Amino acid sequence: MKRNYVAVINFLNERRRVFGVEGISEPRDARGRTHSLRSLFAAALLGMVTMCRSLRETEEETEEWSKLARKLGVRGRVPKSTLADLLPRL
């Protein structure tokens, strides 16, 4: 199934205030953070909206999204282990 990334990212970018993470406290230690909480949340949300079936698939897709997803703060590949560690703690 070919995904329409441009349409999804533009849709989410237009509504990013609704999906904002400003009210969510950062559960991670300050040391070793490569990705912001906002970018990780955006990557997870993009994975769900584009029907990724696993965090591994989300990780693979973040490489493809990198140029488009910059509008949402996603900078390059987001490791599945980072998402797996973060999401249960939110």
Side-chain angles (χ1 to χ4, degrees):
M1 177 174 116
K2 182 148 171 80
R3 297 181 179 125
N4 190 348
Y5 298 114
V6 176
V8 169
I9 289 172
N10 287 336
F11 172 82
L12 293 175
N13 192 41
E14 291 170 6
R15 291 155 184 82
R16 68 178 163 209
R17 286 189 177 186
V18 174
F19 302 115
V21 295
E22 289 78 24
I24 299 174
S25 61
E26 173 65 75
R28 300 175 296 159
D29 189 343
R31 293 175 288 157
R33 283 190 211 157
T34 303
H35 300 280
S36 70
L37 180 61
R38 179 177 180 219
S39 69
L40 294 174
F41 189 72
L45 186 61
L46 283 169
M48 288 187 288
V49 170
T50 58
M51 297 186 292
C52 289
R53 295 181 180 173
S54 66
L55 293 178
R56 174 183 274 185
E57 191 175 345
T58 299
E59 176 184 7
E60 292 168 358
E61 295 297 325
T62 55
E63 286 187 278
E64 189 170 328
W65 301 331
S66 61
K67 291 179 184 174
L68 300 170
R70 287 188 185 273
K71 294 179 181 179
L72 296 173
V74 178
R75 306 274 186 250
R77 185 184 64 82
V78 176
K80 67 178 181 179
S81 59
T82 302
L83 291 173
D85 291 342
L86 174 71
L87 293 176
R89 295 167 51 186
L90 292 178

